[in-house]
Amino acid sequence: VSQSRYYKAGKTLYFSSDMPGGMGGEDIWKVSVDGDSYGIPENLGNEVNSVDNESFPFITDDNLLFFSSNGRQGFGGYDVFIYNPTIKETKNVGSPVNTEKDDFSFSYNKEKKVGFFSSNREGNDDIYQADPICGVDALVVVIDAETGKLLLFVHLSKGAGDKWTNSKALPINSKEYSMRNPSISKDGKTLYFSSDMPGGMGGEDIWKVSGIS
């Protein structure tokens, strides 16, 4: 069990695991959380998981799940996908986030409109930043001109998250050590990540840096 993410609004913890009952390899699971009590883990099924590996879940405040997979059709290696549980749709987020290499551990700050992810596209695990292409919201209202009766009311929404641009490596990256698993703070001022860079306690440590976005 690893790479857990908590969805506060839904009181749900998402995580990856190769526990029995999965689709094969490492899958994305979820479990309800109520204080110190936990429900029964639930596999997200084939809308998310495959016979290979799905991991690095990240859940947004509006209940969109980003994850990485090497078992779905993609560019090669691990790709980043987004799953919308409301309409039960999974999409590859495409280029420039995904490449023929491993692209993984995506996190997104909706308020600051910025995403961060890890990739070994240059040979080493580095952290990259990407900007979402803005979504579109529209209301379609049709009213009978004679009676004033509402005939049709439709909310059309194409949210940001499935299309990205301006992918760029962060200046904190180095060819001498790995930088991965980025997570941006709620206020967008601090980026947390793991690295084996010099100055740590040993092995791979948790670090933070401010002033990124």
Side-chain angles (χ1 to χ4, degrees):
V1 178
S2 61
Q3 303 154 7
S4 60
R5 294 283 186 168
Y6 182 58
Y7 177 43
K8 184 176 181 181
K11 295 183 178 181
T12 303
L13 186 71
Y14 291 81
F15 61 94
S16 60
S17 177
D18 59 356
M19 68 172 65
M23 305 291 294
E26 195 164 272
D27 284 0
I28 306 294
W29 298 71
K30 67 178 181 179
V31 63
S32 61
V33 181
D34 185 9
D36 294 331
S37 299
Y38 293 82
I40 298 174
E42 177 184 346
N43 188 286
L44 295 193
N46 59 14
E47 291 172 0
V48 170
N49 297 313
S50 71
V51 296
D52 291 311
N53 298 296
E54 283 70 39
S55 52
F56 303 101
F58 177 85
I59 188 76
T60 67
D61 290 341
D62 50 354
N63 198 29
L64 296 176
L65 177 68
F66 288 92
F67 65 96
S68 291
S69 171
N70 66 355
R72 290 178 165 272
Q73 183 66 43
F75 290 69
Y78 277 92
D79 275 9
V80 177
F81 292 80
I82 182 172
Y83 171 62
N84 186 333
T86 302
I87 59 176
K88 300 186 182 304
E89 181 180 62
T90 300
K91 289 184 177 181
N92 186 303
V93 303
S95 175
V97 171
N98 291 321
T99 65
E100 71 278 5
K101 302 295 185 179
D102 293 324
D103 309 288
F104 57 98
S105 196
F106 193 95
S107 67
Y108 176 45
N109 186 306
K110 183 179 180 181
E111 285 72 25
K112 299 298 181 180
K113 294 181 172 59
V114 62
F116 294 93
F117 63 98
S118 296
S119 176
N120 63 4
R121 63 189 63 183
E122 297 297 332
N124 198 40
D125 285 350
D126 290 327
I127 297 175
Y128 291 77
Q129 177 180 329
D131 302 322
I133 297 176
C134 294
V136 176
D137 283 277
L139 291 177
V140 178
V141 180
V142 180
I143 298 176
D144 188 297
E146 294 183 359
T147 65
K149 182 179 179 181
L150 179 66
L151 299 178
L152 178 67
F153 182 92
V154 179
H155 177 210
L156 302 176
S157 177
K158 181 175 177 59
D162 58 345
K163 298 294 181 182
W164 295 80
T165 187
N166 298 332
S167 175
K168 59 183 180 182
L170 297 189
I172 60 174
N173 293 325
S174 171
K175 294 181 179 180
E176 304 300 321
Y177 41 81
S178 297
M179 312 277 287
R180 48 180 166 250
N181 305 320
S183 182
I184 187 70
S185 63
K186 184 76 172 179
D187 61 10
K189 296 181 179 180
T190 305
L191 183 72
Y192 296 86
F193 60 96
S194 61
S195 177
D196 58 356
M197 68 169 68
M201 305 295 292
E204 193 164 287
D205 286 1
I206 305 298
W207 297 74
K208 66 178 181 178
V209 62
S210 59
I212 290 294
S213 61

